[in-house]
Amino acid sequence: MPVRYISFLALLTGFLLSAQVQAEPDGARIYATHCAACHGTNGAADPANPALAGFDALPANFADALFNSREPEADWRLVVEHGGPAIGLSAQMPAFGGVLSQAEIDAVVRHAKSLADTRDYPPGEFNYPLAIRTKKAFPEDEVVWKLRVTGQDGDDSVRNVLELEKRFGKRWQGIVEIAHKSEGGHDVIDEAELGFKYVLGWDMEKQYMISAGLITAFPIHDRSESDVLIPMLMGARALSDDFLAQGSARLKLPFDQASDGEAEFAGVVHWMRSEFPRGVFPGLEVVASVPFDNNGTDRVKWSVLPQARFGLTRGGHVALNLGAEIPLSDQSWDVRGYLYLLWDFADGSFFKGW
Ligand code: HEC
């Protein structure tokens, strides 16, 4: 082969190799240069590091598997590009948008993500918006106040629910709920619910997560009513980068007579219009309630719920969900309005980042 060709081939190979290197920046090297001084070589910041004296927050600990896993990569890319204040964090976390390219930001965030062994922890990418009726698959730390107003006179026109969801270990979540309603002009504590959720599995490539749970509802106001056992299955799946789908199936089984129970199927799709969590994210939900005793008037009841999540804080850890439920079957009410106020307390105090 003539020398000309050999040197041409060598040039070409060199060019392809350098393109390859350019396409995949070295996340570990970028981390060592730009992040380690504050975040520590292994991802855990050293509180004794004099460089951090006077900081109002300790740099995030990437080596903590629970913390590392529950933060979606996209949120970290946002912080690294735009700086801490972009999502309500300290200004001492600098913005690297002008310093690093998008590919370098992707690489350094992937490296930060690799600093803890998170294999057994449900990934935060599946922490989808809370819907009105569909139950979530992701085990979150959350307090939610739910207000439901029904367009009807008298009993049960206003219902308040306070819900506490607390994560335990890698995959578990405990659930406590207290429901209050107005009845005959009086305010009563209607019922309490106690239960748990467990993440069965997920697949990052196919973009889905599946969880199961069990809740017991105890009537408090009317003791003649039966306790109800509620087994449930929840799923979350990304349809694309911008559209997230969730579904849940619940059985409501009264202890006294399980045949008086019903099954409830709910599904919702949210449109994630923006990468910034403070924004408005519309969703559309459909619910079908199927009574077991399917004779007479007890037919399947359908309803549809247009709704929107309003991220209130810059990090979206305090948010509102506003929506309406429109009956499509012969429900006894015309329309229901819902207001949910939620606070993801793992992301910090209620008052942080407004
Ligand atoms: C000058 C110090 C400093 C440097 C340099 C620095 N950080 Fe930070 N970083 C911080 C501090 C402080 C926080 C905590 C902010 C808070 O909690 O309010 C933080 C928070 C973060 C978070 C937010 C995690 C969360 O809570 O959601 C990410 C992600 C992050 N840093 C990534 C990086 C990466 C990647 C680099 C390097 C490209 C880097 N940081 C460089 C100080 C720094």
Side-chain angles (χ1 to χ4, degrees), residues 51-105:
L52 306 178
F55 272 35
D56 44 36
L58 202 61
N61 183 357
F62 304 131
D64 173 348
L66 177 60
F67 170 77
N68 187 313
S69 65
R70 72 165 143 218
E71 300 279 325
E73 227 172 277
D75 285 7
W76 281 11
R77 285 197 296 267
L78 214 58
V79 179
V80 176
E81 182 175 352
H82 302 282
I87 64 162
L89 298 180
S90 160
Q92 274 134 3
M93 166 59 202
F96 288 90
V99 183
L100 301 175
S101 70
Q102 205 62 54
E104 289 171 323
I105 291 176

Side-chain angles (χ1 to χ4, degrees), residues 173-298:
Q173 181 197 62
I175 305 164
V176 182
E177 219 181 88
I178 298 278
H180 153 281
K181 68 173 180 179
S182 58
E183 190 175 276
H186 296 289
D187 290 334
V188 297
I189 299 291
D190 187 28
E191 62 166 31
E193 291 189 2
L194 208 62
F196 67 87
K197 185 154 93 186
Y198 179 78
V199 180
L200 296 173
W202 62 87
D203 188 319
M204 279 303 273
E205 233 133 79
K206 298 190 185 123
Q207 286 283 307
Y208 71 80
M209 171 177 281
I210 298 183
S211 305
L214 189 65
I215 286 180
T216 313
F218 307 97
I220 290 182
H221 176 60
D222 185 354
R223 305 292 307 179
S224 66
E225 280 178 25
S226 170
D227 294 349
V228 182
L229 195 67
I230 309 171
M232 53 191 193
L233 264 183
M234 288 76 68
R237 186 167 193 282
L239 304 177
S240 68
D241 282 350
D242 294 344
F243 288 93
L244 305 179
Q246 302 175 74
S248 64
R250 301 196 294 159
L251 299 179
K252 298 181 186 169
L253 310 169
F255 278 103
D256 290 358
Q257 192 147 15
S259 60
D260 284 347
E262 63 172 27
E264 181 189 278
F265 303 95
V268 64
V269 174
H270 276 99
W271 177 28
M272 307 314 286
R273 313 169 27 251
S274 159
E275 53 174 340
F276 288 94
R278 179 152 75 182
V280 184
F281 302 94
L284 191 65
E285 194 172 15
V286 175
V287 180
S289 296
V290 187
F292 295 150
D293 187 5
N294 201 357
N295 51 25
T297 55
D298 274 357

Side-chain angles (χ1 to χ4, degrees), residues 144-203:
V144 192
W145 169 52
K146 304 173 174 179
L147 170 67
R148 186 187 80 190
V149 179
T150 305
Q152 67 185 16
D153 293 334
D155 292 352
D156 207 15
S157 57
V158 178
R159 185 177 169 87
N160 283 287
V161 174
L162 190 66
E163 182 172 352
L164 169 69
E165 305 194 316
K166 175 83 185 80
R167 181 149 169 196
F168 292 100
K170 294 174 184 169
R171 298 183 179 212
W172 297 89
Q173 181 197 62
I175 305 164
V176 182
E177 219 181 88
I178 298 278
H180 153 281
K181 68 173 180 179
S182 58
E183 190 175 276
H186 296 289
D187 290 334
V188 297
I189 299 291
D190 187 28
E191 62 166 31
E193 291 189 2
L194 208 62
F196 67 87
K197 185 154 93 186
Y198 179 78
V199 180
L200 296 173
W202 62 87
D203 188 319

